[in-house]
Amino acid sequence: MSPKQKQRLILVSLLVVGLGVGIGLVLMALNENINLFFTPSQVVAGEVPPEQRFRIGGMVTMGSVEKLDGELTVLFKLNDSVKEVQLKYAGILPDLFREGQGIVAEGKLNEEGVFVADQVLAKHDENYMPPEVEHALKTSGGDYYDNEAIE
Amino acid sequence: MNTRNPFIAMLFRDLRIAFRQRAEIMLPVIFFVVVVSLFPLAISPDPTVLKSIGPGVIWIAALLSILLSLQSLFRSDFSDGSMEQILLSPFPGSLLMLARIVAQWCVTGLPLIIISPLLGLLLHLDAHVIWVLFISLLLGVPYLNMVGAIGVALTIGLRQAGALLSLLVLPLYVPVLIFGSNAVISASNDLPYNGQLLWLAALLVIATTLSPFVISFALRVSCSYR
Amino acid sequence: MSVKDKVWLWFHRMASPAYFYKLAGQLLPWCIVATIILMLVGLVGGLVFAPADYQQGDGFRIIYVHVPAAWMSMFVYMVMAVNSAIFLIWHIKLSDIVARSSAIIGASFTFLALVTGSIWGKPMWGTWWVWDARLTSELLLLFLYLGYIGLRSAIDDRRVAGKAGSILALVGAINIPIIHYSVVWWNTLHQAPSVSKFDNPSIEINMLVPLLCMAIAFKLFYLCILLINSRSELLEQEKRSNWVKELVTSS
Amino acid sequence: MISSTLGDNSKLQVDNVSYEINDKLIINGMSFSVKSGEMLFIEGSNGSGKTTLLRILSGLMQADEGQITWNGKSIEEDRIEFNQQLTYLGHSTGVKAELSTLENINFFSSLSGLPQRESSQAAIEWVGLQGYEDSPGRHLSYGQQRRIALTRLLMEPSQLWVLDEPFAGLDKKMIGALELRFKEHVDNGGLLVLTSHQHIELDQVNTSRLQLG
């Protein structure tokens, strides 16, 4: 092998190794699930290490929101249409917090398996549809689409 | 040291040159420290505030001081004609440029990484958070050097290179800034940060593999303009 | 003649400036007419016939400009990057012209997407600007475009500007997915996910048709500008060649 | 002084090369060739494109049209082999201000990628820089810096020399030594392309001249 070919071979193999390692690391990073909210199913299955703060994301279960009298504390359930987790939050809920909406809460699980949130994030929904469609959904889907904000 | 290995020869030449202009190589580190110490003055000396903005502040200051140090990369090589000789050597330009950037990292990036725990203390970060900060900078700063060098190679020889360089390079720095500072923030919130660090490592490996080729090609292009 | 040869022949003919100049000249009027028609259909459909949104009322109608502009901003960068690669590998000048003309159009579309996005944001979010993933990536994309334009205009020599710009466009193209991913991820950390229970399409059909019309109209508009720019650039670059001399003397 | 043969069948061929700067054709369809044992002397007034032509020949710049081949292969295509055989000296010396004479010379030699013909010390003596071995480049005059660059002509065993104004900033004695070295190089089968404002004449050297501008 001439020195030139040898040089080229070394360069190409370095390139291949570098890209291989890089892609491997990307795959590992994607596996780490840094989207960082656990679903209620994962929480129920005990995938979250105990005593650790984490984020939980899901839909607020219809009719599950109850306010404790005289306090700011709110109890509600979060589901991913498979499993449900009870949440407890003391504080002012965001305006866009609605039953049936997706939210993310940050906090810890307590001993009884209730998630005590210290932060709740909500987002407007991204569906664009005309009022008639919305009405149709409302009537057919029963109480799924209750747009009243929780006061 | 006299060696026949061009990579080592290039690395030692640049390190030697850098250590003979000590004042110049200290500037980015001093800039780093000064910028970070301005934030408590401008925002608040309250430890809880500093704790929450600390990771971002240190990362932005690191990014800016690397950007500052890039201004002198390749400039003297370009003006004294040694760049022509480097481009006309029978060795792959990518290898020589890698040596050039490793040297640059040793004199600008490394001191900054080493001093960062101290700044973490100044901003009241906890010990384990400082550790994550250190690792994130160790993985992220070489990336800033690598990708920054592409921008330098493209703008070298232009009159208004400085401002243009920032415009070219800063959008490319965004992912590292996000993952780097977020790893530290996650650590300070007791959240997992492995994913972010893995991303930093991945970006570093890919940049180290590809950018030497881009840099040497870009320098060839820039040098053909006189 | 094999298929491969035919493709190569076509490639070479397209790359021949004289042939391209003629073809572009014939194509241009059709393009302009089609752009105008589609844009009118899209606008009328979107502003008059499409129903109002259930949450946002008539305010949502800005999507007929915003969404196509945002799509274009990415599409044009892709075109620019592909042409930059072609220019670097095969040294086809036409590709460089396409890349260069694309930059300004792409930057304008990106700017338009940002402005309309922020106008839309005012009624929706109550502020002119939110650090929403889409707006933030769009902003970074604008910076990438501006860097490309800045670099090209800072270099006097056309050949060097072409090569340096192409390198930058490709580096940017590699980085765009990473930038986009990191911004989206960063954003989801700060906002709730949009978890939808319903499998209904998130956009109604008579809202969608005008939107698609507008998207195609924007693409054709881009093509028109590209054709006009390429024609004039070609004349400038090839001014010493015979076909340009013939063109000038015959007219 | 050692004199090894460099081979006698190499050829640098320039075919129909054109280059324009700011819409002005500086080099217009130029063709010529240089073979082993030949010297090409490029003459021309300021701005006639001498430097541009040399930079194109060395591969630093790409011609707009035409091509340059080294032993039948395009220099773009086989750059490593071509660069091994090339010594290019431009206007700028490539001498680093922070490095000493010896360090500069050693760096050039590790960059050339071929075994040294002569020791660094012999090269320093040849250009008359004894006593300046450890002086940093910034303490040296322009002429002395040029001499450092010229040591490469003694140390690198390359075949093709492309020299832009090699006599600039040198005294008579050094010019004489350089002319001697040129003759030796060409006699050994080397190729030499150079520009100069001064008119030089080498005895018994196969010289062709190219007038630019």
Side-chain angles (χ1 to χ4, degrees), chain A residues 30 34-37 55 59 98 102-104 121-131 133-134 144-145, chain C residues 51-56 120 125 134 181 185 188-195 197-198 200 202-204 207:
Chain A
L30 286 172
I34 46 177
N35 255 336
L36 278 194
F37 49 83
R55 287 156 178 264
M59 311 273 289
R98 287 162 199 189
I103 63 138
V104 164
L121 302 157
K123 194 187 180 187
H124 74 95
D125 88 16
E126 285 192 343
N127 299 332
Y128 309 114
M129 53 184 149
V133 176
E134 191 217 343
Y144 265 126
Y145 234 89
Chain C
D53 186 65
Y54 79 105
Q55 259 185 341
Q56 301 164 19
W120 193 10
W125 295 304
R134 267 175 301 178
Y181 172 81
W185 171 75
T188 47
L189 282 186
H190 298 271
Q191 272 199 21
S194 59
V195 190
K197 264 194 152 180
F198 305 104
N200 61 309
S202 62
I203 186 157
E204 173 67 3
M207 288 179 166

Side-chain angles (χ1 to χ4, degrees), chain B residues 3-210:
Chain B
T3 168
R4 304 300 307 167
N5 182 327
F7 182 87
I8 306 282
M10 189 79 193
L11 184 66
F12 274 79
R13 181 198 79 148
D14 287 326
L15 287 178
R16 202 175 265 152
I17 290 172
F19 284 112
R20 289 186 188 161
Q21 329 168 286
R22 250 166 259 120
E24 251 175 70
I25 68 166
M26 287 310 288
L27 279 179
V29 187
I30 295 171
F31 176 82
F32 179 54
V33 176
V34 170
V35 168
V36 169
S37 62
L38 288 180
F39 276 84
L41 303 178
I43 295 172
S44 155
D46 179 7
T48 51
V49 173
L50 291 180
K51 241 182 213 172
S52 67
I53 63 162
V57 165
I58 292 178
W59 257 96
I60 290 178
L63 195 150
L64 291 179
S65 78
I66 291 294
L67 197 60
L68 185 77
S69 73
L70 285 174
Q71 309 283 343
S72 61
L73 181 68
F74 301 136
R75 191 195 281 154
S76 72
D77 286 339
F78 196 73
S79 61
D80 67 21
S82 41
M83 189 52 79
E84 291 170 0
Q85 299 303 336
I86 290 167
L87 291 177
L88 292 180
S89 99
F91 298 106
S94 49
L95 194 72
L96 298 172
M97 287 313 130
L98 186 63
R100 185 83 185 74
I101 292 158
V102 170
Q104 157 88 357
W105 175 78
C106 285
V107 294
T108 61
L110 194 58
L112 187 150
I113 296 167
I114 291 171
I115 208 162
S116 64
L118 203 68
L119 295 177
L121 283 178
L122 283 184
L123 297 184
H124 299 279
L125 299 186
D126 299 330
H128 77 283
V129 179
I130 290 180
W131 174 241
V132 176
L133 173 75
F134 183 78
I135 300 289
S136 74
L137 286 172
L138 200 61
L139 291 171
V141 169
Y143 176 92
L144 302 181
N145 282 310
M146 290 282 173
V147 173
I150 297 177
V152 180
L154 286 172
T155 53
I156 192 86
L158 299 180
R159 258 158 277 119
Q160 298 286 312
L164 187 58
L165 178 65
S166 340
L167 182 60
L168 298 191
V169 159
L170 286 179
L172 306 180
Y173 280 178
V174 164
V176 167
L177 180 71
I178 289 178
F179 290 124
S181 59
N182 197 273
V184 188
I185 292 171
S186 293
S188 67
N189 287 337
D190 291 325
L191 293 169
Y193 47 78
N194 289 348
Q196 289 91 317
L197 293 184
L198 278 172
W199 266 107
L200 289 180
L203 290 178
L204 174 61
V205 171
I206 292 172
T208 312
T209 316
L210 293 182

Side-chain angles (χ1 to χ4, degrees), chain A residues 28-45:
Chain A
M28 273 168 77
L30 286 172
N31 259 344
E32 278 289 320
N33 184 26
I34 46 177
N35 255 336
L36 278 194
F37 49 83
F38 290 90
T39 60
S41 303
Q42 286 176 302
V43 175
V44 171

